[in-house]
Amino acid sequence: MPSTANNLEQWLSVDLPEWARQSIKELVRMEAWDELNDRFFKDITFGTGGMRGRVLGKVQTKSETGMSESGHYPKFPAVGTNTINDFNVIRATIGLYRYSRNRLLGDRLYEIPRLVIAHDVRYFSRHFCELTASTWTRLGGQALIFDGPRSTPQLSFSIRNFEALAGVVITASHNPPHDNGFKVYLNDGGQIVPPHDKGIIAEVNKVLIGEIISFLEKRMDNVVCLSKHADNCYLKSARESIINENAVEKMKSKIVFTAIHGTGGIATLPLLNHYGVRVVAIREQSEFSPDFPTVKSPNPEERDALRLGIEKAREVGAIAVFGTDPDSDRVGLAVSDRNGDFRFLSGNNVLVALAEYRIRALKSMRILPEKGTNRAALIKSSVTTPMLDIIAKNHGLKLINTLTGFKWIGNKLLEYETVLKNSLMESSGIAVDYDNTERNTRIKLLLENSTYMVLGGEESCGYLGHDILRDKDANAAVLMLCELIGHLESRGQTILDFLDEIYSLYGFYSERLVCLTYEGSSGCKIIRKIIDNFRKHPPKVIGGMEVLGIIDYGEEMITDEDGKVLPQEDVFRVMLKNDYLVYLRPSGTEPKIKIYVYGYHHPVDISELEAYRNIAGERTERIADAIKNGIEKFIY
């Protein structure tokens, strides 16, 4: 490809390290043109999760592996403009530093820009963390790192806790082992959103390969390593996610936890131990490993990731299995039914149960008024189950739909924090120290002056129940779910019983998710073609159901429930007959097209639920398959 040739010429015109130059030569000698195109056809960009991509090539060179073909830990990451490697990590760090210093410090240029960096357990994660810290300090900033792997939510919290200008976590979340990433946060503890994302990318794009070379040597002399105190501060904040501590402390049931070789055990287990929860950890999955050898995928959205946990639960008589992804921002859950079989709950199921419980609990404690209030909200991404809309409406609460990506939920929390601060300053001249205000006082002030978030979440197993950090938090979510289990125990119920009770009250949505993967440079073109053709030639019938209307988030001006205009995004909301919905969008973090199908069924007697679930399941399956098959005509 012409862009590949151009990028290769630029790289080969500078004094590259010998391993990088030899790697390129090897790929040329092998005539691995597809591999070269995938690695060099573009500069890697920021999506909904920041910069994410392959750290190991599909074709690995001996220069990168630094070994025989027998297989050991690779010595160098995949060279390329479109891969995660030393060059792109340095490039991103330089761009972030320049943007942060020029745009975020304002007239406080005397301050030293502070950056907090965390990392997970993936290939080169520690190395990239240190390289980021080294580059930042050599540019004139202060870099804070941890002594080992830490979760993404702890990074989000630590930015605010240490009053940093920005934060970075080296992770590819639940992606396959060959990936890694560079996820950027700003001083509010939230992921980058417009206009900052475009501003950072503009600065990153200005950094030429020649500027990068001098930063390849790591210098750690001026990098600060955080103490155990940083962990304790985060654990204290995570405990704010629960409403009723007694429910957790009195929980009698045994649970199983697996970190799936990632960072989850570092914080989740201490949180559970603090409340005396009877937890059994999966020892073989507690060991850090970038290969995640005991699972097909380290994605807790998939039942297979909890397979060993379910086996252990049957062995020890546990009623629930929790599994966190490598950076511990998502958690999967499987629970036992009355027959002792384990049912895997989707992120939508979990959100429905948590939302109903938390609203009821807050009302019983008179924190929320019995009739509800428009100053309390559930916040979710638009592709997450509409059941939350129904629950919010029945309880008199506000429901906020955001764009996909938890950064938009975090951004809503920043908005509500800002409204509170401005309101109190204007009305009484009081400046609020938000993070150091006691939780119940903070909730009271938000309910009086702004909006209090009862629960935030995404269908992809991401949940947030507190507002001192601004990203999904699996460590705290496990604690919230143990609170729910403990409460239901006192009523003689399980989570499955509780869900059936909710569905019999409000009705239920069946759901189906289809993911279509298209990798590499050719895959980018296919995904773009699917989106463009769907926009130009929208379907009139899907799976035998008439299309009543389509909302195009990429073309139309759409406002949320607060009246805020949403940024445009390639998402389509397709309304079908009989209260069925379809969402179609490209993933922001993986080379995939995602299709979400929802079908609503009105309240029925609990005894009839299973029959209606089967009917709804067949319909959603038919619609999902029709879209999956129909998309093929958009590709060729």
Side-chain angles (χ1 to χ4, degrees):
M1 296 173 67
S3 59
T4 299
N6 182 60
N7 285 333
L8 279 167
E9 286 177 355
Q10 288 184 33
W11 274 47
L12 292 170
S13 68
V14 300
D15 187 20
L16 287 177
E18 187 60 23
W19 70 267
R21 188 173 293 274
Q22 288 302 321
S23 180
I24 292 171
K25 289 182 177 180
E26 280 186 64
L27 292 171
V28 172
R29 282 198 299 270
M30 288 188 283
E31 297 185 358
W33 311 129
D34 286 344
E35 180 71 7
L36 279 166
N37 278 330
D38 287 348
R39 292 190 185 203
F40 282 95
F41 83 101
K42 67 171 185 175
D43 289 331
I44 198 164
T45 55
F46 285 79
T48 58
M51 183 174 71
R52 192 182 297 191
R54 293 191 74 108
V55 70
L56 305 179
K58 292 181 186 176
V59 178
Q60 294 186 54
T61 68
K62 290 184 178 179
S63 299
E64 290 165 349
T65 56
M67 56 161 188
S68 66
E69 294 180 359
S70 59
H72 298 287
Y73 197 96
K75 191 172 183 180
F76 299 105
V79 68
T81 58
N82 189 40
T83 58
I84 303 294
N85 52 41
D86 294 20
F87 309 96
N88 282 327
V89 166
I90 292 170
R91 188 169 182 246
T93 305
I94 294 173
L96 176 61
Y97 179 87
R98 289 174 178 170
Y99 180 84
S100 300
R101 183 163 181 81
N102 295 338
R103 301 292 179 87
L104 301 182
L105 277 181
D107 58 0
R108 298 176 290 118
L109 290 176
Y110 58 86
E111 291 187 12
I112 297 176
R114 179 178 295 165
L115 180 75
V116 185
I117 312 154
H119 67 86
D120 67 7
V121 304
R122 289 177 176 273
Y123 283 112
F124 302 104
S125 281
R126 182 66 183 182
H127 168 65
F128 291 152
C129 169
E130 293 178 348
L131 190 61
T132 301
S134 169
T135 302
W136 190 270
T137 55
R138 289 175 66 181
L139 288 165
Q142 181 187 46
L144 312 180
I145 65 173
F146 299 91
D147 60 5
R150 293 295 190 280
S151 65
T152 289
Q154 182 165 351
L155 181 277
S156 174
F157 167 80
S158 297
I159 294 167
R160 298 174 69 97
N161 191 48
F162 293 104
E163 298 181 343
L165 194 63
V168 167
V169 59
I170 307 297
T171 182
S173 189
H174 58 285
N175 280 34
H178 55 61
D179 285 358
N180 211 329
F182 183 97
K183 198 171 182 179
V184 178
Y185 295 72
L186 294 184
N187 58 352
D188 67 309
Q191 298 175 47
I192 54 171
V193 296
H196 300 302
D197 54 356
K198 293 179 181 177
I200 292 169
I201 291 169
E203 289 294 339
V204 171
N205 289 340
K206 293 176 186 176
V207 181
L208 302 176
I209 182 65
E211 296 181 72
I212 294 169
I213 303 301
S214 63
F215 290 95
L216 288 171
E217 180 187 352
K218 287 190 293 189
R219 298 177 189 173
M220 301 299 292
D221 295 349
N222 296 319
V223 174
V224 177
C225 188
L226 294 166
S227 68
K228 188 70 176 176
H229 175 69
D231 294 333
N232 293 334
C233 289
Y234 165 67
L235 293 174
K236 182 181 178 182
S237 78
R239 293 197 292 269
E240 286 196 8
S241 63
I242 57 176
I243 298 168
N244 181 3
E245 289 187 323
N246 287 335
V248 189
E249 292 168 341
K250 292 181 179 179
M251 176 182 161
K252 297 176 182 178
S253 300
K254 192 179 294 183
I255 65 168
V256 169
F257 172 78
T258 172
I260 316 179
H261 303 286
T263 62
I266 297 169
T268 302
L269 291 176
L271 285 170
L272 296 174
N273 291 334
H274 177 83
Y275 289 103
V277 176
R278 300 172 65 199
V279 56
V280 177
I282 304 297
R283 185 175 301 174
E284 56 265 52
Q285 292 183 319
S286 298
E287 297 177 359
F288 298 151
S289 173
D291 288 320
F292 314 109
T294 61
V295 293
K296 293 178 182 177
S297 166
N299 186 354
E301 295 177 71
E302 299 173 9
R303 181 184 175 89
D304 180 72
L306 302 188
R307 178 179 52 83
L308 289 181
I310 291 172
E311 290 174 4
K312 176 62 72 173
R314 290 194 177 107
E315 177 188 326
V316 301
I319 66 158
V321 179
F322 296 92
T324 52
D325 64 349
D327 66 323
S328 201
D329 62 353
R330 302 171 192 251
V331 58
L333 173 63
V335 295
S336 62
D337 62 18
R338 297 290 183 185
N339 299 319
D341 295 325
F342 275 82
R343 295 237 319 250
F344 185 84
L345 298 186
S346 70
N348 287 322
N349 297 149
V350 170
L351 281 168
V352 166
L354 280 176
E356 180 69 13
Y357 163 71
R358 287 174 71 83
I359 296 171
R360 289 186 189 183
L362 289 166
K363 285 185 174 182
S364 71
M365 298 169 72
R366 301 186 186 280
I367 294 172
L368 293 180
E370 186 57 37
K371 291 183 179 180
T373 170
N374 201 44
R375 290 191 180 275
L378 301 177
I379 310 178
K380 72 178 186 70
S381 63
S382 59
V383 298
T384 298
T385 178
M387 271 299 297
L388 293 184
D389 301 62
I390 294 173
I391 290 172
K393 182 178 179 180
N394 275 274
H395 281 288
L397 269 60
K398 181 166 56 177
L399 188 286
I400 302 293
N401 280 292
T402 70
L403 296 179
T404 310
F406 219 92
K407 65 182 182 180
W408 299 111
I409 297 176
N411 193 241
K412 263 293 166 189
L413 290 175
L414 173 60
E415 180 184 315
Y416 295 151
E417 176 187 350
T418 303
V419 169
L420 168 62
K421 288 179 175 178
N422 291 342
S423 176
L424 284 179
M425 180 57 70
E426 291 172 8
S427 64
S428 56
I430 296 174
V432 177
D433 184 351
Y434 193 87
D435 289 16
N436 291 315
T437 300
E438 189 268 335
R439 181 186 67 171
N440 287 341
T441 302
R442 200 169 62 245
I443 293 172
K444 183 175 183 292
L445 290 172
L446 286 165
L447 288 170
E448 291 173 350
N449 299 275
S450 182
T451 298
Y452 163 58
M453 182 193 74
V454 174
L455 180 68
E458 290 189 311
E459 47 74 38
S460 53
C461 298
Y463 319 109
L464 182 64
H466 56 134
D467 61 349
I468 296 302
L469 57 82
R470 300 295 161 84
D471 207 348
K472 49 191 176 288
D473 186 346
N475 307 307
V478 174
L479 205 56
M480 286 196 294
L481 285 162
C482 284
E483 176 190 0
L484 172 61
I485 290 170
H487 169 75
L488 293 175
E489 271 185 351
S490 69
R491 298 176 62 192
Q493 280 188 314
T494 67
I495 291 180
L496 295 176
D497 296 333
F498 188 48
L499 284 170
D500 284 351
E501 176 189 322
I502 295 167
Y503 298 147
S504 66
L505 283 172
Y506 306 134
F508 70 94
Y509 273 91
S510 58
E511 60 181 271
R512 179 84 165 92
L513 170 64
V514 175
C515 296
L516 305 176
T517 301
Y518 305 99
E519 292 189 333
S521 57
S522 60
C524 285
K525 292 180 179 178
I526 290 173
I527 291 172
R528 185 70 259 162
K529 193 171 184 180
I530 290 170
I531 295 300
D532 290 344
N533 281 330
F534 195 91
R535 182 167 283 137
K536 293 175 184 175
H537 310 289
K540 295 181 179 178
V541 176
I542 297 177
M545 283 194 177
E546 180 186 352
V547 174
L548 300 180
I550 297 178
I551 297 174
D552 184 346
Y553 284 68
E555 295 273 313
E556 300 176 40
M557 189 179 80
I558 298 169
T559 58
D560 68 15
E561 289 74 10
D562 287 327
K564 299 287 184 180
V565 177
L566 300 179
Q568 291 185 327
E569 179 184 64
D570 282 328
V571 176
F572 301 94
R573 184 176 191 262
V574 185
M575 289 78 75
L576 305 178
K577 287 188 71 173
N578 301 326
D579 293 323
Y580 274 67
L581 282 172
V582 173
Y583 291 91
L584 184 145
R585 73 174 186 94
S587 170
T589 57
E590 298 174 276
K592 293 179 178 179
I593 288 281
K594 290 190 171 184
I595 303 156
Y596 310 78
V597 183
Y598 291 109
Y600 181 65
H601 284 261
H602 294 276
V604 296
D605 188 86
I606 286 180
S607 63
E608 299 179 286
L609 271 176
E610 195 58 36
Y612 278 93
R613 279 198 189 101
N614 292 334
I615 294 170
E618 290 172 5
R619 287 179 180 173
T620 52
E621 188 81 21
R622 185 172 70 244
I623 293 168
D625 287 344
I627 297 175
K628 181 180 177 182
N629 296 331
I631 273 179
E632 293 299 320
K633 72 180 182 182
F634 291 140
I635 298 175
Y636 304 106

